[in-house]
Amino acid sequence: MEPRNFVPSPTGIKVLNDWNKIIGIRGPVGSGKSSLCVMKLFQIARNQPVNGSGIRHSRMLIVRDTYPNLDSTTIKTWKFWFPEEMYPVSSAYPRESTVKMKLEDGSILKMEVVFLAAESEDTMDKLQSNEFTAGWINEAGAINNEILWNVAFSRLGRFPAKQAGGSELSKILLLDLNSPAMGHWTQKLEEAALVEKSMPKVSWYVQPPAMTYHHDVDEKGNERLVWTPNPDAENIENHNGGFAYYQDLVDTSKESWLKVMVANEFGQINTGKPVYPGFSQYTHVSKENLQPDRSVNLLVGMDFGLNVAMAVCQMMPSGQLRIIHEIYQEDCSLEDFIESKMNVLFSMRQFSACGRPTIIGDPTGINRSSIDKRNPYNVLSQNGYHAIAAPTNDIVARRDAVLDQMKRIGGLTVNPSCKMIVEGMSGAYQYDTGGLPKKDKYSHLQDAVQNVALFVRRGAAKKKSSPPKPAKKFYYG
């Protein structure tokens, strides 16, 4: 049988050169993640120290969500690289196999492999009673048990024992996955590695989308997404027909599924029509954590009411609108929000260095309270903030102001730490049955962003002229 020739992708090269303790790979369907993880385990086995018998001995753990999926996908990929005729896999559960071969240096590679299903009742017992060299959780996004990866990792680096040639270098847990639903434990792990940089022993790689998309309107006025092959996509050469594989998916699948499986975006369950169907996590979410630019003033969109929302933005000299911070607080008065949230945030050096922020709020906030005759702009002004009203509450104008930024190349960039804004723009911010955006936890921050986009596009609201009164003026601009 002819040996398989593995040619690593750009991501594959990085993974094969990475010896960190946990390595995650998130990518679109068909991007070669599984084969890469098989080759990484093989690389780890080849690098095991030689014991006194001239053997490089290892025991690998491979986990999938269910045994049917383990058999039909994971083990199928394993057998592609290590054929059944030479390295048989047991029929009993858990599945087991042993790869034994002579290496170029004359040493003998002996790699034992144990295949487990995460949803099996005895998986935890089997994990805790076994010792492994390294491990791989295949399609980790399909596994909801967050504890599993901790337990799996705790069993690695324990075989063989140090006296028998064991090595700390081999203690590696691989995770591969398609983009999961937002809030999944793998997303938190990715953010810790890439955004917060709080877990230095975790490496995380995000493969390019197979195809990208943009929002368009056809000649009949129907909104649609136009999909385009991504020249940076990986593993295209291994698909029959190349990009035709993905185009077939585009022609036959729902947009919400395509955004996850083809565009490699975190999933969002859409029960209604999204307000921003053209929002792309690949295009519009920053790859790194954004910090305020001290040379640029802060534009702060706010939505008032019992649920107060604030989006801190900057309009860069390049014309890019950056959303760099979000705060959302339910059941909170504006006074409490100012004291506990705004004053604290804007006293931080990275924000205070940008100068006095400009607050842009809801135009209806100009109306005074019947209780103390103040409005939110009075309250903000009395606390030292410069606050003005957005020019309109018309939803078409507000949506279009944001779309203008989205449609321009480099026009809108959202900090990945702004999770509710990203989730809302990814589809959670939806129209109701009456054709207006739903009023829910996502809409408040979206309203705040729209206030800033409107201000950038059209400026502040104009004061209505009124007859002079002897009472003192109220200030909102």
Short mmCIF file of all heavy atoms in Angstrom, two decimals, residues 228-250:
data_model
loop_
_atom_site.label_atom_id
_atom_site.label_comp_id
_atom_site.label_asym_id
_atom_site.label_seq_id
_atom_site.Cartn_x
_atom_site.Cartn_y
_atom_site.Cartn_z
N THR A 228 -18.27 34.37 -1.68
CA THR A 228 -17.10 34.43 -2.55
C THR A 228 -16.00 33.51 -2.03
O THR A 228 -15.74 33.50 -0.82
CB THR A 228 -16.55 35.88 -2.61
OG1 THR A 228 -17.60 36.77 -2.97
CG2 THR A 228 -15.42 35.99 -3.61
N PRO A 229 -15.36 32.71 -2.89
CA PRO A 229 -14.25 31.87 -2.43
C PRO A 229 -13.16 32.71 -1.77
O PRO A 229 -12.81 33.79 -2.26
CB PRO A 229 -13.75 31.21 -3.72
CG PRO A 229 -14.94 31.20 -4.62
CD PRO A 229 -15.68 32.48 -4.32
N ASN A 230 -12.63 32.21 -0.67
CA ASN A 230 -11.58 32.92 0.07
C ASN A 230 -10.22 32.41 -0.40
O ASN A 230 -9.90 31.23 -0.21
CB ASN A 230 -11.75 32.68 1.57
CG ASN A 230 -10.72 33.42 2.40
OD1 ASN A 230 -9.98 34.26 1.89
ND2 ASN A 230 -10.65 33.11 3.68
N PRO A 231 -9.40 33.27 -0.98
CA PRO A 231 -8.09 32.81 -1.46
C PRO A 231 -7.18 32.29 -0.35
O PRO A 231 -6.22 31.58 -0.62
CB PRO A 231 -7.50 34.06 -2.13
CG PRO A 231 -8.25 35.22 -1.54
CD PRO A 231 -9.62 34.70 -1.25
N ASP A 232 -7.48 32.63 0.91
CA ASP A 232 -6.67 32.16 2.03
C ASP A 232 -7.19 30.85 2.61
O ASP A 232 -6.62 30.34 3.58
CB ASP A 232 -6.64 33.23 3.14
CG ASP A 232 -5.95 34.51 2.70
OD1 ASP A 232 -5.00 34.41 1.91
OD2 ASP A 232 -6.36 35.59 3.14
N ALA A 233 -8.26 30.31 2.07
CA ALA A 233 -8.85 29.07 2.60
C ALA A 233 -7.84 27.93 2.52
O ALA A 233 -6.99 27.88 1.62
CB ALA A 233 -10.11 28.71 1.83
N GLU A 234 -7.96 26.99 3.46
CA GLU A 234 -7.01 25.87 3.54
C GLU A 234 -7.66 24.56 3.13
O GLU A 234 -8.88 24.38 3.26
CB GLU A 234 -6.46 25.77 4.97
CG GLU A 234 -5.69 27.02 5.38
CD GLU A 234 -5.10 26.95 6.78
OE1 GLU A 234 -5.45 26.02 7.54
OE2 GLU A 234 -4.28 27.82 7.11
N ASN A 235 -6.83 23.66 2.61
CA ASN A 235 -7.22 22.29 2.25
C ASN A 235 -8.10 22.23 0.99
O ASN A 235 -8.69 21.20 0.70
CB ASN A 235 -7.96 21.61 3.42
CG ASN A 235 -7.89 20.10 3.35
OD1 ASN A 235 -6.84 19.52 3.07
ND2 ASN A 235 -9.01 19.44 3.58
N ILE A 236 -8.17 23.29 0.24
CA ILE A 236 -9.00 23.31 -0.97
C ILE A 236 -8.51 22.28 -1.97
O ILE A 236 -9.30 21.62 -2.66
CB ILE A 236 -9.00 24.72 -1.61
CG1 ILE A 236 -9.55 25.75 -0.61
CG2 ILE A 236 -9.84 24.73 -2.88
CD1 ILE A 236 -10.95 25.47 -0.12
N GLU A 237 -7.21 22.11 -2.05
CA GLU A 237 -6.63 21.19 -3.04
C GLU A 237 -7.00 19.74 -2.79
O GLU A 237 -6.86 18.89 -3.69
CB GLU A 237 -5.10 21.35 -3.06
CG GLU A 237 -4.37 20.90 -1.80
CD GLU A 237 -4.40 21.90 -0.66
OE1 GLU A 237 -5.03 22.98 -0.83
OE2 GLU A 237 -3.81 21.62 0.41
N ASN A 238 -7.47 19.42 -1.61
CA ASN A 238 -7.83 18.04 -1.30
C ASN A 238 -9.32 17.73 -1.49
O ASN A 238 -9.77 16.63 -1.17
CB ASN A 238 -7.42 17.71 0.14
CG ASN A 238 -5.91 17.61 0.29
OD1 ASN A 238 -5.23 17.05 -0.56
ND2 ASN A 238 -5.38 18.16 1.38
N HIS A 239 -10.08 18.71 -1.99
CA HIS A 239 -11.49 18.48 -2.27
C HIS A 239 -11.69 18.25 -3.76
O HIS A 239 -11.12 18.99 -4.59
CB HIS A 239 -12.34 19.68 -1.83
CG HIS A 239 -12.44 19.83 -0.34
ND1 HIS A 239 -13.07 18.89 0.45
CD2 HIS A 239 -12.00 20.80 0.50
CE1 HIS A 239 -13.01 19.28 1.71
NE2 HIS A 239 -12.35 20.43 1.77
N ASN A 240 -12.48 17.28 -4.10
CA ASN A 240 -12.84 17.08 -5.50
C ASN A 240 -13.57 18.32 -6.01
O ASN A 240 -14.60 18.71 -5.47
CB ASN A 240 -13.74 15.85 -5.67
CG ASN A 240 -13.03 14.56 -5.31
OD1 ASN A 240 -11.82 14.44 -5.51
ND2 ASN A 240 -13.76 13.60 -4.77
N GLY A 241 -13.01 18.95 -7.02
CA GLY A 241 -13.64 20.17 -7.54
C GLY A 241 -13.22 21.42 -6.83
O GLY A 241 -13.69 22.52 -7.17
N GLY A 242 -12.34 21.33 -5.84
CA GLY A 242 -11.85 22.53 -5.15
C GLY A 242 -12.98 23.28 -4.47
O GLY A 242 -13.73 22.72 -3.66
N PHE A 243 -13.13 24.57 -4.80
CA PHE A 243 -14.15 25.41 -4.17
C PHE A 243 -15.56 24.98 -4.53
O PHE A 243 -16.52 25.42 -3.90
CB PHE A 243 -13.94 26.88 -4.56
CG PHE A 243 -12.91 27.58 -3.72
CD1 PHE A 243 -11.68 27.94 -4.26
CD2 PHE A 243 -13.17 27.88 -2.39
CE1 PHE A 243 -10.73 28.58 -3.48
CE2 PHE A 243 -12.22 28.52 -1.60
CZ PHE A 243 -10.99 28.88 -2.15
N ALA A 244 -15.72 24.14 -5.55
CA ALA A 244 -17.06 23.66 -5.91
C ALA A 244 -17.70 22.91 -4.75
O ALA A 244 -18.93 22.91 -4.61
CB ALA A 244 -16.97 22.77 -7.15
N TYR A 245 -16.88 22.29 -3.92
CA TYR A 245 -17.39 21.60 -2.73
C TYR A 245 -18.17 22.57 -1.85
O TYR A 245 -19.27 22.26 -1.36
CB TYR A 245 -16.22 20.99 -1.96
CG TYR A 245 -16.55 20.53 -0.55
CD1 TYR A 245 -17.24 19.35 -0.34
CD2 TYR A 245 -16.16 21.29 0.55
CE1 TYR A 245 -17.55 18.92 0.95
CE2 TYR A 245 -16.46 20.87 1.83
CZ TYR A 245 -17.15 19.69 2.03
OH TYR A 245 -17.45 19.29 3.31
N TYR A 246 -17.60 23.77 -1.64
CA TYR A 246 -18.25 24.75 -0.79
C TYR A 246 -19.40 25.46 -1.51
O TYR A 246 -20.41 25.80 -0.90
CB TYR A 246 -17.23 25.76 -0.28
CG TYR A 246 -16.25 25.15 0.70
CD1 TYR A 246 -14.95 24.86 0.31
CD2 TYR A 246 -16.64 24.85 1.99
CE1 TYR A 246 -14.05 24.28 1.20
CE2 TYR A 246 -15.75 24.28 2.90
CZ TYR A 246 -14.46 24.00 2.50
OH TYR A 246 -13.60 23.41 3.38
N GLN A 247 -19.25 25.68 -2.81
CA GLN A 247 -20.33 26.32 -3.56
C GLN A 247 -21.59 25.46 -3.54
O GLN A 247 -22.71 25.98 -3.45
CB GLN A 247 -19.89 26.58 -5.01
CG GLN A 247 -20.89 27.42 -5.80
CD GLN A 247 -21.11 28.80 -5.19
OE1 GLN A 247 -20.16 29.54 -4.92
NE2 GLN A 247 -22.38 29.15 -4.93
N ASP A 248 -21.42 24.16 -3.58
CA ASP A 248 -22.57 23.26 -3.48
C ASP A 248 -23.27 23.43 -2.13
O ASP A 248 -24.51 23.39 -2.05
CB ASP A 248 -22.13 21.80 -3.65
CG ASP A 248 -21.75 21.47 -5.08
OD1 ASP A 248 -22.13 22.25 -6.00
OD2 ASP A 248 -21.06 20.45 -5.29
N LEU A 249 -22.49 23.63 -1.08
CA LEU A 249 -23.08 23.87 0.24
C LEU A 249 -23.85 25.19 0.27
O LEU A 249 -24.95 25.28 0.82
CB LEU A 249 -21.99 23.87 1.32
CG LEU A 249 -21.22 22.56 1.54
CD1 LEU A 249 -20.16 22.76 2.62
CD2 LEU A 249 -22.17 21.43 1.94
N VAL A 250 -23.25 26.22 -0.34
CA VAL A 250 -23.91 27.53 -0.40
C VAL A 250 -25.24 27.44 -1.13
O VAL A 250 -26.24 28.05 -0.74
CB VAL A 250 -22.98 28.56 -1.08
CG1 VAL A 250 -23.74 29.85 -1.41
CG2 VAL A 250 -21.79 28.87 -0.19
#
